[in-house]
Amino acid sequence: MYGSSLADAPAIREPVHSPVAHLVRGGVIEGIHYGSVVVLGADGQVEFQVGDIEAAFYPRSALKPVQAVAMLRAGLPLDGELLSLAAASHSGEERHLAGSRRILELAGLAEDDLLNVPDLPFDPVVRDGWIREGRLPSRLAQNCSGKHAAMLYTCKLNGWPLDSYLDPGHPLQQAIAEIVEDLTGQRIAQVTVDGCGAPLFSISLHGLARAAARITTAAPETPEALVADAMREYAEMASGSGRDVAALMRAVPGLFSKDGFEGVQVAALPDGRAVAVKIADGANRARVPVTAAALARAGVDPAVLTEFAGEALLGGGREVGRVRPVRALDPVTRR
C-alpha cells in the first residue's frame, strides 16, 4: 500500500481539454473532438500528454479491472473466463449471461440478489434479438452483471451484508476504494453513482494510466496479474464479439485494455508502458483512433493498429473522409 505516500486527490475543475481528433471530409476539417491523452513510459514517467491529465474525472467502466483486483484481494476465488467477466462491460451475449449466473450459483445466490439496473443487452444485434423475442430488460443482461455478481460473491465469502453492497460505506466498497487509491497512487477526489448503481470513484487520467501499468507489471499470480491475464486470454468475455477493445487486445501482443462510457479507454503493455484517453464529448468514433495513436506513441507497431485508425466518413455511400487523430498525437500520419 502507498499509505501516507498517496498523492493528494486531483482537483475538481473544468478540464482544459485539447483537440485530439479531426473529422476530415474531402480534405477539409469538418469537426473536432476534444479530449485528453497521457502516455507513460516503462519507467512510469509521462512521455507524452495532450489536454488535462491531472483534473478529476470519472473513469467509468475503465476502472473495473481495479475493482476486480480489489475483490481478489478480498478473497474472491474466480479465475479465467469468470474473472474476465467480473471486470467486464459485456455485450449481453448468452455466454455472458451464463457466466454471471455461474458466479451467482457459486455464491449460492440468484439473479434477484443483484442490485444493478435491469437493462437490455448492450450489443445492438443481441438487443434487437431480445426485442423480437419479446424478452424484457433484466439484471443479468445489463452490461455490469458480471461485476455485480462478483461483488455479491465477495460479500458472501466475507460475511458482509448483501442487501447494501452498493452503499459507498459498505465494507466491500471501502475495500475497493482503498485499492483504487493504492493502484492509482492518489486519493479519490469524489464518489458518485455509476450507471449500474455501483459507487464510482473520481481520479485523474494520469492516475488511471498508473493503475493500468501497475496491473500489467505485477508479479505472476498476484491479483493484478490474474486480472490482466484473464482479460487478455478471454477478451470477448470482458467485452463481446466484435467489440473494438477485444480486437485491440488480440491485435497487440500482451496488451491489456479496458474501455468505459463517455469516451474513456486505458491500455498497458507488460513492461509498464501505458496510455489513457478521455474524449470530452464521449464519442467512440474518436476514442478508438486516439487510443491507437497513443499506443503508437508508446511504441506499438503502427502496422498492427491499422484497423483502429479511424472510421470512414461517407458521402453518397462512398468514403469521402475519416476520423483521424490530430497530427500532434499521431506519430505516423502527417497531414
Side-chain angles (χ1 to χ4, degrees), residues 64-70 72 83-84 87 215 222-233 256:
K64 283 179 178 174
V66 177
Q67 293 171 309
V69 169
L72 288 186
L83 178 55
S84 184
I215 287 173
T222 60
E224 292 89 336
L226 291 173
V227 169
D229 289 345
M231 292 180 68
R232 285 184 291 226
E233 184 173 357
F256 155 81

Side-chain angles (χ1 to χ4, degrees), residues 165-331:
Y165 74 93
L166 298 184
D167 188 321
H170 189 281
L172 170 68
Q173 301 304 336
Q174 291 292 299
I176 290 174
E178 181 181 352
I179 304 308
V180 170
E181 293 188 335
D182 177 15
L183 294 182
T184 63
Q186 64 186 168
R187 300 194 184 281
I188 293 166
Q190 185 72 282
V191 181
T192 188
V193 182
D194 210 340
C196 65
L200 178 61
F201 307 102
S202 181
I203 54 173
S204 70
L205 197 65
H206 190 179
L208 180 62
R210 280 195 299 263
R214 289 198 63 196
I215 287 173
T216 59
T217 58
E221 301 304 317
T222 60
E224 292 89 336
L226 291 173
V227 169
D229 289 345
M231 292 180 68
R232 285 184 291 226
E233 184 173 357
Y234 301 99
E236 286 77 15
M237 283 297 281
S239 53
S241 303
R243 293 273 290 279
D244 61 82
V245 68
L248 185 63
M249 284 196 280
R250 297 294 185 209
V252 181
L255 186 72
F256 155 81
S257 189
K258 183 70 184 75
D259 58 345
F261 280 159
E262 299 302 326
V264 181
Q265 186 149 353
V266 66
L269 292 155
D271 64 0
R273 286 174 290 159
V275 307
V277 169
K278 165 62 181 175
I279 305 301
D281 63 3
N284 278 329
R285 69 177 181 181
R287 173 184 58 80
V288 177
V290 169
T291 299
L295 285 169
R297 276 276 180 187
V300 174
D301 183 358
V304 305
L305 298 168
T306 302
E307 67 176 292
F308 311 100
E311 68 180 61
L313 301 178
L314 303 181
R318 63 184 180 87
E319 182 178 333
V320 294
R322 280 195 171 269
V323 180
R324 302 300 299 270
V326 297
R327 187 168 68 175
L329 174 60
D330 191 339

Side-chain angles (χ1 to χ4, degrees), residues 61 64 67 71 76 78 82 85-88 90 100-101 103-104 107 109-111 113-118 139-140 142-156 162 165-167 172-173 176 193-199:
S61 288
K64 283 179 178 174
Q67 293 171 309
M71 288 188 277
L76 183 68
L78 298 181
L82 295 184
L85 184 61
H90 66 70
S100 295
R101 287 192 197 96
I103 296 172
L104 289 170
L109 300 171
E111 181 177 356
D113 293 300
L114 294 170
L115 296 180
N116 59 322
V117 178
R139 298 185 192 277
L140 280 178
Q142 198 270 336
N143 76 91
C144 300
S145 65
K147 177 183 76 174
H148 281 256
M151 285 181 169
L152 281 169
Y153 193 6
T154 305
C155 291
K156 187 71 174 293
L162 302 181
Y165 74 93
L166 298 184
D167 188 321
L172 170 68
Q173 301 304 336
I176 290 174
V193 182
D194 210 340
C196 65

